[in-house]
């Protein structure tokens, strides 16, 4: 049964090279790489590193300033021609015997699980999954209402494991997949300057845990993503059989999307600070909370914030 690997990359070219070298050892039919406007084009990186395999197909997306995992991977999924899909982040290697040890059956799929990893540095394999293409298309892929870092994987797993599919998840262990370590700043490197999320205090945009919380609240405020949802549209130009250019034509969001973002930011900010500052933060005027975060974004201290708002526990 045919199988495709799908990945996406924005300026993570070094990790992609290492990942690709491992993927090419698998008996897969195609490896689809979405180049999300990387400064150094992925095609150039592969040429410099002597990587040339007819199974590799590059979709180069132009004019994107900010990383958007859900749109990037959904675009890659739309080019799949195989019956099975391995979704893998650019910085994850896969062991050569992976396909021999993981046989998909109806009613199940494989995934990474951050709660079950033996090593804390491997929690980011949570975004890895292997399933039937038909099952992924039945839920319309990733939820494109989520366009900042975090929660995209948990959202898609909930929809795979619920609803009409009701798939049973089976864990893929670190024996077969390995995440190449990098720091949190690289995960959220351009989130702070994202113009569409001014509702989130800048200092919190650099915290992955906060972004996961925000996206979870936002997703629950919006219509559930599914077959009826409108994915982003692209204008594509086929350059040759293994290289395609794409440019965004249109993104569709619910009418109340901006209001929902502001509401999700409000509740996420207070909830997050209730954990790290004090539960009494809910009693403080929200505009004062945001003002403090923005004023002290370069030297923020939870202890200082407690003292500033007189939230010291007796």
């Amino acid at each position: 049964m045919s199988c495709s690997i799908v990945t996406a990359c924005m300026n993570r070219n070094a990790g992609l090279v290492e990942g690709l070298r491992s993927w090419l050892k698998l008996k897969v039919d195609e490896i689809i790489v979405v180049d999300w406007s990387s400064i150094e084009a992925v095609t150039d990186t592969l040429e410099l590193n002597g990587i040339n395999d007819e199974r590799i197909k590059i979709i180069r997306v132009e004019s994107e300033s900010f990383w958007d995992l859900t749109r990037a991977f959904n675009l890659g999924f739309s080019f799949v021609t195989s019956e099975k899909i391995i979704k893998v982040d650019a910085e994850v290697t896969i062991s050569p015997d992976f396909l021999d040890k993981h046989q998909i059956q109806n009613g199940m799929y494989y995934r990474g699980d951050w709660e079950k990893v033996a090593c804390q540095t491997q929690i980011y394999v949570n975004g890895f999954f292997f399933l039937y293409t038909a099952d992924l298309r039945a839920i319309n892929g990733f939820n494109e209402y989520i366009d900042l870092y975090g929660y995209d994987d948990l959202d898609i797993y909930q929809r795979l494991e619920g609803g009409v599919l009701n798939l049973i998840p089976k864990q893929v262990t670190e024996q077969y997949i390995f995440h190449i370590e990098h720091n949190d700043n690289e995960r959220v490197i351009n989130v702070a300057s994202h113009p569409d999320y001014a509702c989130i205090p800048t200092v919190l945009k650099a915290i992955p845990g906060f972004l996961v919380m925000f996206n979870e609240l936002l997703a629950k405020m919006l219509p559930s993503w599914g077959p009826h949802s409108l994915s982003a549209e692209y204008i594509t130009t086929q350059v040759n059989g293994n290289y395609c250019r794409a440019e965004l034509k249109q993104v569709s969001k619910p009418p109340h999307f901006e209001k929902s973002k502001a509401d999700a930011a409000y509740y996420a900010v207070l909830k997050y600070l209730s954990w790290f500052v004090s539960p009494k933060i809910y009693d403080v005027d929200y505009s004062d909370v945001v003002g403090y975060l923005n004023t002290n974004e370069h030297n923020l201290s939870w202890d200082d914030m407690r003292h500033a708002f007189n939230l010291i526990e007796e």
Side-chain angles (χ1 to χ4, degrees), residues 11 30 32 34 63 66 117 135 151 182 200 211 238 245-246:
N11 301 324
E30 60 186 4
I32 296 171
V34 177
S63 305
F66 299 94
V117 295
D135 287 337
Y151 193 68
H182 56 81
I200 300 176
L211 295 175
Q238 194 75 37
R245 289 197 186 96

Side-chain angles (χ1 to χ4, degrees), residues 54-155:
E54 63 181 8
R55 293 174 295 170
I56 299 174
K57 299 178 180 179
I58 308 292
I59 299 108
R60 167 75 182 184
V61 181
E62 306 288 357
S63 305
E64 291 287 351
S65 301
F66 299 94
W67 172 238
D68 191 329
L69 180 148
T70 59
R71 285 202 288 120
F73 272 97
N74 278 358
L75 177 62
F77 295 152
S78 72
F79 281 82
V80 167
T81 60
S82 302
E83 296 163 286
K84 296 181 290 186
I85 292 175
I86 296 173
K87 179 272 174 185
V88 59
D89 290 339
E91 307 95 340
V92 172
T93 60
I94 306 175
S95 68
D97 60 345
F98 173 81
L99 289 172
D100 294 329
K101 302 296 184 181
H102 299 81
Q103 303 294 322
I104 294 182
Q105 300 175 358
N106 288 331
M108 56 81 70
Y109 77 109
Y110 289 100
R111 54 161 288 195
D113 190 336
W114 71 273
E115 292 185 300
K116 297 178 181 178
V117 295
C119 178
Q120 186 67 14
T121 62
Q122 291 304 301
I123 61 174
Y124 300 102
V125 299
N126 198 71
F128 178 97
F129 56 80
F130 176 40
L131 43 49
Y132 284 121
T133 303
D135 287 337
L136 185 62
R137 288 181 173 158
I139 62 166
N140 201 17
F142 279 109
N143 181 350
E144 293 186 21
Y145 299 152
I146 298 172
D147 47 22
L148 291 182
Y149 172 89
Y151 193 68
D152 43 80
D153 47 5
L154 298 176
D155 176 89

Side-chain angles (χ1 to χ4, degrees), residues 270-282:
L270 294 178
K271 183 176 180 180
Y272 190 82
L273 294 181
S274 75
W275 292 357
F276 292 95
V277 179
S278 168
K280 296 179 181 179
I281 197 72
Y282 286 103

Side-chain angles (χ1 to χ4, degrees), residues 208-223:
F210 170 81
L211 295 175
V212 171
M213 182 182 294
F214 167 80
N215 282 331
E216 179 178 8
L217 288 168
L218 179 62
K220 290 177 178 178
M221 291 178 178
L222 295 170

Side-chain angles (χ1 to χ4, degrees), residues 5 16-26 31 92-96:
I5 290 177
L16 174 65
V17 167
E18 190 170 346
L20 256 174
R21 292 193 192 281
S22 73
W23 310 338
L24 288 169
K25 296 175 184 177
L26 276 68
I31 299 174
V92 172
T93 60
I94 306 175
S95 68

